[in-house]
């Protein structure tokens, strides 16, 4: 099969690999589409330490089940499924037992610990594959599988009150999906981002305002989510919070955070929270929300053979919405 691999930081190359064989509890999935996530960029560039070398990136995979190991109990052959970032957890540690499997110290991740979806085929443990909502194309579904799910968890971690005022810093693939969930829940959304095209998209989707990344929102925020991997925006977002507000940091990677001033940034019970991966329940809840509310995924398709260009464009902020690799049918 054709696949793209990362061998050394900063470079991705197309190679021929054997079609993987599913383990006893795994599915073999023929890839139809795979989202291009900023985490893939961190894997390519070495911002995340290599867990497997070489590795096939990609963890927003939509495909068709074509084979299954003997211990799987579904889904059936021919079913369209999603292959996400969270690949496997131990199921026994204190975090797994108490419903925080995203913190499992033995957790494994698609496209980092195991080969992912920048390939014609991928394997996934059947218990970690998602059933997908109807009414979406493969390309529209791909970004939901990481950008959508992690944004949903970040929104939950932000403790936005009903009808509250949410600030979103950075407005790429995950943020533009999360904004739609918040709007569907009745929130007032203010977007702060350096991209003029992203500000325009935010207003089209229903944001109450869209300003520059360092601008002050027009009203104090009950909650905020930082999607941009820019630590220098942490004090900016904290200062924009109302008393009792929460800032949730959605990314797996963040540049260094400057020194915080206690009174300006944290006093009056402002809270700063990180987000670490997601649980399968997060994914199921978000996909159920996507089935109930039509979420518009703004997609820029790239043919499979241009995965390198898609990553370069993402790094240079030339992608509006989410880049998605498409497989020839």
């Amino acid at each position: 099969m054709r696949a793209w691999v990362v061998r050394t930081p900063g470079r991705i190359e197309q190679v021929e690999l054997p079609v993987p064989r599913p383990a006893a509890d795994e599915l073999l999935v023929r890839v139809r589409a795979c989202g291009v996530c900023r985490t893939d960029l961190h894997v390519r560039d070495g911002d995340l330490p290599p867990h497997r070398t070489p590795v096939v990136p990609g963890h927003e995979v939509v495909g068709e089940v074509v084979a299954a190991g003997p211990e799987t109990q579904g889904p059936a052959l021919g079913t369209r499924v999603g292959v996400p970032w969270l690949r496997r957890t131990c199921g026994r540690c204190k975090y797994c037992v108490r419903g925080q499997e995203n913190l499992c110290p033995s957790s494994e991740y698609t496209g980092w610990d195991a080969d992912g979806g920048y390939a014609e085929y991928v394997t996934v443990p059947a218990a970690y594959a998602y059933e997908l909502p109807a009414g979406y194309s493969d390309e529209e579904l791909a970004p939901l599988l990481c950008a959508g799910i992690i944004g949903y968890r970040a929104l939950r971690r932000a403790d936005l009150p009903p009808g509250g005022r949410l600030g979103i810093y950075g407005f790429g693939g995950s943020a533009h999906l999360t904004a739609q969930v918040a709007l569907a829940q009745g929130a007032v959304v203010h977007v702060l981002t350096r991209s003029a095209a992203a500000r325009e998209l935010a207003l089209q989707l229903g944001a109450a305002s869209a300003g520059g990344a360092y601008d002050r929102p027009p009203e104090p925020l009950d909650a905020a989510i930082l999607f941009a991997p820019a630590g220098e925006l942490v004090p900016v977002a904290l200062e924009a919070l109302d008393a009792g507000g929460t800032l949730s940091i959605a990314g797996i990677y963040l540049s260094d955070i400057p020194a915080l001033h206690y009174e300006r940034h944290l006093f009056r019970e402002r809270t700063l929270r990180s987000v670490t991966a997601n649980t399968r329940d997060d994914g199921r809840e978000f996909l159920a929300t996507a089935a109930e509310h039509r979420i518009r995924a703004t997609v820029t398709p790239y043919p499979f053979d241009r995965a390198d260009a898609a990553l370069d464009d993402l790094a240079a902020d030339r992608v509006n919405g989410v880049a998605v690799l498409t497989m020839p049918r």
Side-chain angles (χ1 to χ4, degrees), residues 177-211:
L177 300 173
T178 307
Q180 293 176 69
V181 175
L183 288 164
Q185 294 174 350
V188 176
V189 175
H190 300 287
V191 170
L192 297 307
T193 181
R194 65 185 183 181
S195 166
R199 292 195 293 271
E200 183 179 346
L201 175 60
L203 294 173
Q204 290 173 1
L205 292 174
S209 74

Side-chain angles (χ1 to χ4, degrees), residues 51 85-93 95-96 100-110 112-114 128 252 276-279:
H51 282 192
W85 173 239
L86 184 66
R87 177 181 175 83
R88 196 186 290 275
T89 58
C90 75
R92 301 181 302 275
C93 70
Y95 303 105
C96 288
Q100 293 178 297
E101 65 180 3
N102 59 310
L103 301 180
C104 174
S106 301
S107 56
E108 297 178 4
Y109 300 95
T110 309
W112 194 20
D113 295 289
Y128 291 79
I252 192 173
T276 300
N278 61 273
T279 66

Side-chain angles (χ1 to χ4, degrees), residues 12-30:
I12 189 170
E13 59 185 294
Q14 190 172 169
V15 298
E16 290 282 332
L17 295 177
V19 175
R21 298 183 63 180
D25 66 341
E26 293 180 348
L27 307 170
L28 177 64
V29 175
R30 180 185 291 119

Side-chain angles (χ1 to χ4, degrees), residues 106-161:
S106 301
S107 56
E108 297 178 4
Y109 300 95
T110 309
W112 194 20
D113 295 289
D115 285 340
Y118 288 24
E120 294 180 303
Y121 294 88
V122 66
T123 60
V124 59
Y128 291 79
Y130 286 118
E131 296 182 12
L132 298 174
Y136 291 85
S137 69
D138 298 336
E139 291 76 17
E140 290 171 325
L141 282 169
L144 305 188
L145 291 164
C146 177
I149 293 171
I150 202 64
Y152 179 78
R153 182 167 185 85
L155 180 60
R156 290 182 58 198
R157 294 278 290 164
D159 280 345
L160 179 67

Side-chain angles (χ1 to χ4, degrees), residues 166-171 190-200 202-203 207-219 221 224-226 228 230 232-237 240:
L166 174 68
I168 293 180
Y169 289 81
F171 205 69
H190 300 287
V191 170
L192 297 307
T193 181
R194 65 185 183 181
S195 166
R199 292 195 293 271
E200 183 179 346
L203 294 173
S209 74
Y214 292 87
D215 290 349
R216 174 79 75 165
E219 58 183 337
L221 304 172
I225 306 173
L226 176 59
E232 63 269 21
L233 289 176
V234 170
V236 174

Side-chain angles (χ1 to χ4, degrees), residues 158-161 164-165 216-217 219-224 237-247 262-272:
D159 280 345
L160 179 67
R165 301 156 297 179
R216 174 79 75 165
E219 58 183 337
L221 304 172
D222 297 307
L238 285 170
E239 196 166 356
L241 291 176
D242 204 350
T246 297
L247 171 63
Y262 178 67
E263 187 173 354
R264 284 210 321 268
H265 302 133
L266 293 171
F267 191 54
R268 302 195 73 207
E269 300 193 351
R270 298 183 183 97
T271 300
L272 176 61

